[in-house]
Amino acid sequence: MDIRQHTEAMEENYLSEFAARSNRSVGRRRPEEPCRVRTAFQRDRDRIIHSKAFRRLKHKTQVFIIPEGDHYRTRLTHTLEVAQIARTVARALCLNEDLTEAIALGHDLGHTPFGHAGESALNDIMPGGFKHNRQSLRVVEELEGGTGLNLTWEVCDGILNHTGPVRPSTLEGQVVKIADRVAYINHDIDDAIRGGVLQVQDLPAFCLDILGWKHRTRINTMVTDLIITSRDKPLIGMSSEVWQATDELRQFLFDHVYIDSEAKGEEGKARHVLQYLFAHWVKHPRDLPEEHRARSRTVGVERAVCDYIAGMTDRYAIAQFKHLFIPRSFAISENSFTASGAVVNKKMSNPEG
């Protein structure tokens, strides 16, 4: 018995009857020889971590666009917080931690630069719309490395359905869906307070009386309630009281942080950057990098441009905007002038030449 088979046998003996088993996976689009050391879900997790799309998350906005401080969340730190919360819940419920972690680490791979402002910008101009969860699935199925990561069906299902009305098919995916909400509600409050957008006393007292007045207390309340409510059940959820308080706290953030707050002051500029880039490359596809220009011939120019922009970091999108739309200064060397300051370089002295 190799190491993978030993791990699979441990899963059979230890995991909940409702947990996903690695050796019972629906499988991959393209069949592969199993790894002797890692299970299928462990292999998926490793592929996501080693992907370029995962590394780019460190320079993508969570809520604050290009924040000055070092302690504001980025899309990468959000992803790590989701993975930590989800693994804690999965372990307590005897679910498959490797599947849970893979889904959590991959759930935002398709997120745009500038956070939800970027997603909204692309949704407005891309025919058929744009949703980051669908784009995350495109990343792992098609875009990363040119052919995708060839992940298992269970991981792809969890990534696609981590947001929206459809419930993930596995309990591990359901855990990630709620862990995502637990993470962003709490860390966005933390960032908003750090940025001076909110004060603790601004938060609804009803919610904090139930969930806790401190950051760590709220997370602990939500996670503990999620575990107790979901134990030995074929469905993941919270108690009605904690869920109501969590949902109302989330709505408060939409009303006071996510829309028309100081944290969102630069969103109009961010939308402008992405929409101008989109319009330019759709009109001038020859300006695209060769990889995306080649893809445009098979998937269409708009789809290829959308994929290119969605994969950008904030700073790369800004750099491309500057390159295409901002005039660059022209430096003239000192030896191009006489002592009197007259230009002696013929090409410089004759604008028409």
Side-chain angles (χ1 to χ4, degrees):
M1 180 181 295
D2 59 31
I3 296 174
R4 186 200 81 253
Q5 291 173 322
H6 178 71
T7 304
E8 291 171 347
M10 289 177 61
E11 290 181 356
E12 288 291 342
N13 294 327
Y14 173 74
L15 294 184
S16 160
E17 61 178 306
F18 305 115
R21 265 72 173 177
S22 302
N23 62 353
R24 300 184 199 172
S25 170
V26 174
R28 309 178 187 276
R29 282 188 169 186
R30 300 184 297 275
E32 297 180 3
E33 188 70 24
C35 177
R36 292 186 61 189
V37 175
R38 297 166 297 167
T39 68
F41 299 146
Q42 289 173 341
R43 206 175 194 181
D44 287 356
R45 175 202 59 204
D46 295 350
R47 288 180 181 181
I48 290 169
I49 288 176
H50 288 284
S51 69
K52 291 187 294 183
F54 183 79
R55 295 196 294 275
R56 289 196 298 268
L57 294 177
K58 67 181 178 180
H59 293 302
K60 290 191 176 190
T61 287
Q62 176 61 26
V63 172
F64 287 80
I65 296 176
I66 317 177
E68 293 294 333
D70 293 332
H71 300 129
Y72 292 97
R73 271 71 172 188
T74 66
R75 191 61 56 179
L76 178 60
T77 59
H78 160 73
T79 294
L80 296 176
E81 290 187 38
V82 173
Q84 176 270 314
I85 292 170
R87 283 194 60 179
T88 296
V89 175
R91 180 174 297 184
L93 296 177
C94 294
L95 299 178
N96 195 307
E97 283 187 62
D98 297 320
L99 172 57
T100 304
E101 186 177 26
I103 295 170
L105 294 175
H107 82 282
D108 269 356
L109 291 179
H111 230 304
T112 61
F114 310 125
H116 288 285
E119 180 175 23
S120 175
L122 289 185
N123 186 56
D124 288 345
I125 56 178
M126 177 64 192
F130 178 93
K131 296 295 181 185
H132 76 270
N133 55 318
R134 295 183 204 156
Q135 189 68 19
S136 294
L137 187 65
R138 284 184 60 76
V139 169
V140 300
E141 287 193 336
E142 299 179 41
L143 301 178
E144 183 68 30
T147 58
L149 298 176
N150 197 32
L151 305 182
T152 57
W153 179 87
E154 291 80 3
V155 173
C156 291
D157 171 80
I159 288 174
L160 176 62
N161 296 311
H162 81 270
T163 187
V166 179
R167 181 185 294 129
S169 299
T170 63
L171 294 197
E172 290 81 1
Q174 294 175 33
V175 166
V176 172
K177 188 168 188 144
I178 299 179
D180 182 35
R181 181 168 294 197
V182 171
Y184 74 68
I185 287 174
N186 286 288
H187 65 51
D188 290 351
I189 289 174
D190 191 45
D191 281 354
I193 291 173
R194 177 175 291 107
V197 177
L198 290 177
Q199 295 182 8
V200 174
Q201 55 266 34
D202 296 328
L203 299 169
F206 160 75
C207 298
L208 300 194
D209 286 342
I210 295 173
L211 302 174
W213 286 80
K214 293 183 178 179
H215 176 79
R216 61 183 181 183
T217 306
R218 286 191 296 273
I219 294 178
N220 186 67
T221 299
M222 293 176 180
V223 169
T224 303
D225 182 83
L226 182 58
I227 292 169
I228 293 173
T229 305
S230 306
R231 183 175 292 161
D232 299 324
K233 295 179 182 176
L235 194 66
I236 303 298
M238 290 177 168
S239 67
S240 58
E241 181 185 46
V242 171
W243 181 255
Q244 181 183 355
T246 300
D247 199 46
E248 290 195 18
L249 196 54
R250 176 176 178 268
Q251 186 58 51
F252 175 87
L253 290 175
F254 272 94
D255 295 339
H256 296 87
V257 177
Y258 299 149
I259 300 174
D260 296 330
S261 76
E262 293 179 34
K264 316 306 278 183
E266 298 296 296
E267 280 197 350
K269 297 176 185 177
R271 289 173 56 89
H272 176 86
V273 167
L274 298 195
Q275 291 178 344
Y276 263 66
L277 290 176
F278 186 91
H280 174 82
W281 282 315
V282 167
K283 186 175 182 180
H284 305 285
R286 286 183 295 180
D287 290 349
L288 287 168
E290 173 55 32
E291 172 191 353
H292 300 280
R293 192 163 65 246
R295 288 193 69 254
S296 71
R297 293 190 283 269
T298 57
V299 301
V301 173
E302 290 170 319
R303 180 72 263 172
V305 170
C306 184
D307 289 338
Y308 181 36
I309 292 175
M312 293 179 176
T313 62
D314 296 12
R315 63 185 185 180
Y316 185 72
I318 292 171
Q320 289 299 300
F321 182 86
K322 288 180 178 179
H323 172 71
L324 292 171
F325 301 113
I326 306 298
R328 284 170 286 176
S329 59
F330 191 88
I332 302 175
S333 62
E334 291 182 5
N335 60 10
S336 297
F337 296 86
T338 64
S340 63
V343 178
V344 296
N345 184 304
K346 291 184 179 181
K347 289 186 179 180
M348 287 301 302
S349 62
N350 182 7
E352 300 300 325

